[in-house]
Amino acid sequence: MKVYLVFTILLICCATSKQEKAIDSMETLQVEIVGHQVDEIQKISFSFDGVILTLKDTTLEDEDVSWKGLNYYYKSDLFFTAETSWNNPNVITRVLVNSQLLKTKDGLGVGENFESIRSHIIFNSWSEFPDGYVAFKDSSDMRITYVMNTEPYPQLRVEALTIEKLPPTLKVQNVIVMQ
């Protein structure tokens, strides 16, 4: 009888435990999160640097449209947000990285200055983004976009860009990883 009880407890523990996957780069986000079903992602415990990320559901809104998101926290800081779209609320279509800790395989990420990403971007890709945004696609992986913090340089939001006009100290505010 004791063996049966121990076996039952073990079976319940194994059946309810989450699978764990390590996130170690932006590229890992593409493989493990982007393009996957929300309910599938919620069953996985993601970790970074040996620490399990905390997951909280969220709702994102823009121009009276809302969609689902999953906020992942490293310790107490927002690490990244996995987003669906208003067209398909069941599949993650992009990830917004907020943390300076997570980098691309080339070592690039949030907090880098323009000078350090310059040789890794497609400069003319800035024109593909809405007015007011200064962002560049990664030259080795166009699914990765560096969004720049133009707050200290408001003139950059209203004029056509040339590479010479960009201050070398312009910083990456966040990184978007797309499908």
Side-chain angles (χ1 to χ4, degrees):
M1 189 64 155
K2 289 181 184 180
V3 172
Y4 178 72
L5 180 62
V6 170
F7 179 73
T8 303
I9 292 171
L10 185 60
L11 184 62
I12 290 170
C13 291
C14 290
T16 59
S17 67
K18 284 186 164 185
Q19 179 183 6
E20 185 178 324
K21 291 187 179 182
I23 299 294
D24 60 4
S25 69
M26 305 275 184
E27 292 84 355
T28 307
L29 292 174
Q30 287 173 327
V31 172
E32 300 296 343
I33 296 180
V34 177
H36 293 274
Q37 297 282 329
V38 172
D39 58 350
E40 173 188 329
I41 295 300
Q42 290 175 313
K43 294 176 185 175
I44 301 170
S45 292
F46 290 104
S47 65
F48 177 77
D49 200 25
V51 176
I52 298 292
L53 303 177
T54 304
L55 169 64
K56 293 185 182 176
D57 290 343
T58 189
T59 301
L60 302 143
E61 297 180 31
D62 189 27
E63 297 180 13
D64 297 327
V65 178
S66 62
W67 61 97
K68 291 181 192 178
L70 303 172
N71 283 336
Y72 285 88
Y73 294 84
Y74 175 73
K75 300 183 179 176
S76 61
D77 297 323
L78 183 60
F79 199 57
F80 64 84
T81 302
E83 301 178 26
T84 64
S85 69
W86 55 86
N87 294 330
N88 188 347
N90 300 315
V91 176
I92 301 298
T93 57
R94 75 182 218 155
V95 175
L96 180 67
V97 178
N98 304 87
S99 176
Q100 293 185 7
L101 298 173
L102 193 59
K103 304 288 184 188
T104 65
K105 293 192 182 204
D106 291 330
L108 305 174
V110 174
E112 300 292 324
N113 62 37
F114 179 71
E115 195 60 37
S116 65
I117 69 165
R118 184 177 178 164
S119 63
H120 299 275
I121 62 166
I122 301 169
F123 178 74
N124 290 334
S125 63
W126 71 267
S127 63
E128 298 175 27
F129 299 97
D131 289 343
Y133 285 92
V134 176
F136 306 101
K137 291 185 179 183
D138 189 285
S139 59
S140 62
D141 189 339
M142 291 183 52
R143 299 171 297 179
I144 296 174
T145 301
Y146 304 99
V147 180
M148 309 308 285
N149 179 8
T150 58
E151 195 170 307
Y153 310 99
Q155 73 280 7
L156 296 177
R157 294 188 295 247
V158 295
E159 60 186 38
L161 297 181
T162 63
I163 204 156
E164 297 80 26
K165 286 184 182 177
L166 290 175
T169 56
L170 180 67
K171 298 251 187 232
V172 175
Q173 181 173 333
N174 47 47
V175 179
I176 298 171
V177 180
M178 300 287 291
Q179 196 166 19

